[in-house]
Amino acid sequence: MMEGRKRIVHHHDEMGDIKKGPWKAEEDEVLINHVKKYGPRDWSSIRSKGLLQRTGKSCRLRWVNKLRPNLKNGVKFSAEEERTVIDLQAQFGNKWAKIATYLHGRTDNDVKNFWSSRQKRLKRILQSSTPSSSKSHKNSKEAPKLSSSTEEESSNIDDSETMIKMMPNLLSYEESPLQLDESKSSFSFPEIPQLQLDFPLESHDIISRIGDPSFDDVFANSSDFGSSFFAHERSCQIGGKVESLDAVTLDSFIDDFPPIETFDHIEPLPSPSEWS
DNA sequence: AAATGACGCAACCGCCAACTC
DNA sequence: CGAGTTGGCGGTTGCGTCATT
């Protein structure tokens, strides 16, 4: 596979005292405090003030992907979310940030990771099931051969679509299209800004750890990012459930699906141990 | 029981558009 | 207006963990 070189960087990197690698809880706390005071901006000032030895980019990324309130961290994509991503990817291509805009509590990184996992899985299955390479049985050692980027994007999509029609439950680890637990729409309007705020679902562990009960408070002091945005978001969700947008495509998608049992052997269900 | 592979995910990188001075 | 800086984005990587052989 691609385990070529192990780049042992992490922890810190002597060049310029820039710290890299996993974030510590204390660093998170510093970052969160900065956002509380100044809002989610001026990322590079965090370093210039000596608060953290992280680059502005790194700080922003950490906030956007992990520390922001109302992220669905550690929660698997629901079947509806999966279908949303698949459908929107077909519409927009790999515009992960744009797609994430339609999914509350999901970041572009989440969407990107979801998609690339899915692509790998589909590719692998394609390889082990295509007549030419299947060799009678799933010897699965079939060198996954990740196409290095530049490969045909459109044909990737086509492959995926084909696979979807052939093997619908590849779409999801968790459930059949029949049990859509989330009947409440998770769509929002396409033009809303990057940050996605949702109803309180589960308080983020980091936030709750440092004893910050009020998410609104996080933004209270940031002018262009404050409660008006919250209000806008909520009204969009409460008042304007956007159901029409993808309903047709998704429905026709689902309607095309053969019985899911057909491919049950391919897609293992997640072990309950994973649910924590 | 150990080795290998698959998977999920956090975080990095480079590119470049938007912004600032 | 132009050069420099910031930060948004997509692609990629490396690692930990779980599953399979």
Side-chain angles (χ1 to χ4, degrees):
Chain A
M1 204 156 290
M2 49 179 165
E3 69 239 273
R5 65 205 129 227
K6 317 253 176 184
R7 166 176 67 114
I8 308 148
V9 201
H10 295 328
H11 307 324
H12 41 278
D13 158 287
E14 30 272 83
M15 320 172 52
D17 288 336
I18 301 292
K19 187 160 182 205
K20 295 181 179 179
W23 281 68
K24 300 276 194 324
E26 313 89 74
E27 295 179 291
D28 284 343
E29 202 168 338
V30 170
L31 181 51
I32 289 167
N33 285 333
H34 181 270
V35 174
K36 278 185 181 176
K37 284 186 200 147
Y38 306 108
R41 63 167 72 71
D42 296 335
W43 301 113
S44 49
S45 76
I46 295 172
R47 186 161 121 82
S48 59
K49 287 176 186 163
L51 277 73
L52 291 175
Q53 292 301 97
R54 301 272 182 173
T55 64
K57 287 177 85 157
S58 180
C59 292
R60 177 193 159 270
L61 198 72
R62 182 66 183 172
W63 171 259
V64 166
N65 286 333
K66 300 302 296 179
L67 302 180
R68 246 164 61 190
N70 299 321
L71 292 175
K72 294 180 184 171
N73 274 324
V75 179
K76 288 176 80 65
F77 274 47
S78 69
E80 179 173 1
E81 286 175 317
E82 293 185 358
R83 285 193 301 274
T84 301
V85 172
I86 291 160
D87 190 56
L88 294 179
Q89 198 279 342
Q91 288 185 42
F92 304 138
N94 298 358
K95 301 297 180 191
W96 310 124
K98 181 168 187 176
I99 292 170
T101 268
Y102 292 77
L103 300 167
H104 291 291
R106 303 297 188 184
T107 69
D108 56 349
N109 217 31
D110 294 334
V111 176
K112 191 164 50 180
N113 281 336
F114 163 75
W115 187 260
S116 69
S117 297
R118 183 172 175 277
Q119 288 299 104
K120 286 180 193 173
R121 196 179 344 135
L122 292 178
K123 229 160 209 160
R124 195 167 289 125
I125 290 165
L126 242 188
Q127 285 179 350
S128 63
S129 65
T130 128
S132 54
S133 66
S134 66
K135 296 291 190 342
S136 71
H137 49 274
K138 38 122 184 225
N139 197 346
S140 81
K141 294 266 180 176
E142 281 292 295
K145 153 186 152 283
L146 296 185
S147 64
S148 51
S149 65
T150 64
E151 198 165 73
E152 67 307 315
E153 299 180 25
S154 51
S155 83
N156 272 347
I157 292 172
D158 287 349
D159 287 346
S160 304
E161 297 306 303
T162 304
M163 293 302 298
I164 288 162
K165 299 221 160 130
M166 291 168 56
M167 307 180 182
N169 71 331
L170 290 175
L171 288 175
S172 171
Y173 277 131
E174 31 183 316
E175 67 258 296
S176 78
L178 298 179
Q179 42 184 164
L180 307 178
D181 55 341
E182 297 204 22
S183 49
K184 55 172 187 186
S185 166
S186 59
F187 284 117
S188 179
F189 297 121
E191 301 301 348
I192 63 178
Q194 157 83 358
L195 283 166
Q196 287 298 309
L197 304 172
D198 204 343
F199 307 116
L201 294 172
E202 60 274 303
S203 51
H204 189 279
D205 49 2
I206 301 279
I207 305 283
S208 49
R209 189 168 65 235
I210 64 169
D212 179 10
S214 164
F215 289 149
D216 286 296
D217 196 32
V218 172
F219 308 110
N221 297 327
S222 55
S223 52
D224 65 327
F225 187 74
S227 49
S228 62
F229 181 67
F230 248 87
H232 168 69
E233 267 297 290
R234 288 181 173 154
S235 67
C236 286
Q237 291 170 53
I238 298 169
K241 280 187 137 166
V242 183
E243 38 182 325
S244 57
L245 176 55
D246 296 290
V248 174
T249 19
L250 291 178
D251 283 349
S252 53
F253 245 66
I254 296 166
D255 287 347
D256 284 343
F257 292 162
I260 58 170
E261 294 81 7
T262 311
F263 301 102
D264 270 356
H265 63 286
I266 295 178
E267 192 62 57
L269 290 171
S271 61
S273 64
E274 194 178 344
W275 292 46
S276 61

